Amino acid sequence: MIAIVSQLIQAKELLWAWTSRIVRSRYQQSVLGGLWIIVQPVATAILFTVVFTFFVPVNTGEIPYVVFSYTALTPWLLFANGLNDMANSLVENMQLVTKIYFPREILPIAALLARLLDFLVAVGLLFILILYFRVPLFAIGWFYLPVILAIQLILLLGLGLALATLNVFYRDVKPLLTLIIQLWFYASPIIYPVSMVPEQFQSFYFLNPMAGILEAYRAVLLDGNPPGLHLMLSGSMALIIAAAGYWFFKRTEFQFADVV
């Protein structure tokens, strides 16, 4: 992690410029423009609310289902979209990788930062929903939210660097990642509460680091409770994955220009 931070400090101007380019290019020819940042999570949350309120009711206690689902859906979209963008970041910019020298990790990290901006905008809408449905706001959330987000970003960084590397060598990564993200979605507490997972399976369930992260978001925002021990497990796994992903990226970086 220290090495990554050092690289980012040295190339901060390039990182900022590339992140800005990604954000501008994503919405510049779109009719709705930046509104697409909230269209996807809002439309998905509304669909889930209709299905899991009227057709297949899911008990979320006193929390309205739209708030319950949107609280987990927002960080999930950061995760899913961030992974996709990071995995494709090197291949989509092969002209730069092959012709110009710069720290290659700038490309996947810039892709992640662009999605982080989307997340921050979507979180603003989450707080509007919380106020509208009169869900209590807990001060504990303001303290723990940066910690939970940091753990999620570290996890994303490790997975994204590894996937970006693999995508250079094996183009099966993109369709395989689409399938994995779909399965991962249902293996995470987004449309249902963790209480629905049989107790005897929960030890295995929380080996999914996103389960602990999403549950922590709900705990601090909706329940006013500190994150459980599952977040510590997710944080430990995130650090290990980040270290392994960065090592793999740097170990193979010198081959990118030849393979791409």
Side-chain angles (χ1 to χ4, degrees):
M1 291 301 298
I2 296 177
I4 297 177
V5 173
S6 176
Q7 289 276 14
L8 294 181
I9 292 175
Q10 294 176 14
K12 58 182 181 297
E13 290 84 4
L14 176 60
L15 178 62
W16 172 252
W18 198 255
T19 302
S20 300
R21 179 184 182 276
I22 293 173
V23 173
R24 289 196 306 270
S25 64
R26 185 183 297 160
Y27 304 113
Q28 65 182 359
Q29 293 182 326
S30 170
V31 175
L32 294 180
L35 287 177
W36 280 113
I37 294 175
I38 60 174
V39 166
Q40 183 182 9
V42 168
T44 307
I46 291 174
L47 176 61
F48 287 163
T49 300
V50 172
V51 172
F52 295 108
T53 299
F54 299 104
F55 297 102
V56 188
V58 173
N59 183 12
T60 58
E62 298 180 357
I63 304 298
Y65 188 86
V66 64
V67 178
F68 174 86
S69 60
Y70 192 86
T71 301
L73 188 61
T74 302
W76 172 259
L77 289 176
L78 167 63
F79 180 76
N81 293 333
L83 275 188
N84 273 313
D85 291 354
M86 295 177 76
N88 296 322
S89 60
L90 295 177
V91 173
E92 290 179 350
N93 297 285
M94 60 179 67
Q95 72 281 3
L96 292 176
V97 174
T98 56
K99 296 180 180 179
I100 304 172
Y101 175 76
F102 61 96
R104 306 296 192 229
E105 56 266 42
I106 289 295
L107 296 177
I109 292 175
L112 173 57
L113 291 179
R115 287 299 179 181
L116 177 61
L117 175 62
D118 293 0
F119 170 79
L120 295 176
V121 173
V123 166
L125 179 58
L126 171 60
F127 284 108
I128 293 175
L129 287 174
I130 288 174
L131 292 173
Y132 177 80
F133 287 99
R134 298 182 179 179
V135 177
L137 275 173
F138 300 99
I140 192 173
W142 300 105
F143 176 77
Y144 281 109
L145 273 180
V147 177
I148 302 170
L149 178 58
I151 291 174
Q152 183 178 358
L153 292 178
I154 291 171
L155 175 65
L156 261 171
L157 182 64
L159 291 174
L161 289 174
L163 288 169
T165 303
L166 288 172
N167 201 24
V168 170
F169 298 99
Y170 308 103
R171 300 305 164 82
D172 296 332
V173 168
K174 186 174 181 179
L176 182 60
L177 179 60
T178 300
L179 174 61
I180 290 174
I181 287 177
Q182 289 176 347
L183 297 176
W184 204 333
F185 175 89
Y186 293 104
S188 303
I190 301 169
I191 59 177
Y192 57 86
V194 170
S195 59
M196 293 184 66
V197 179
E199 189 174 349
Q200 63 268 30
F201 298 128
Q202 288 195 10
S203 297
F204 299 100
Y205 182 79
F206 280 104
L207 291 178
N208 167 12
M210 281 303 294
I213 290 171
L214 295 177
E215 188 64 9
Y217 278 113
R218 282 205 180 112
V220 302
L221 287 173
L222 303 182
D223 300 330
N225 297 323
L229 294 177
H230 301 303
L231 183 64
M232 295 180 62
L233 175 60
S234 296
S236 301
M237 295 174 67
L239 289 172
I240 294 171
I241 291 171
Y246 183 70
W247 174 86
F248 181 51
F249 185 92
K250 299 305 288 186
R251 181 71 180 268
T252 56
E253 182 181 19
F254 72 95
Q255 302 178 49
F256 291 168
D258 297 329
V259 176
V260 173

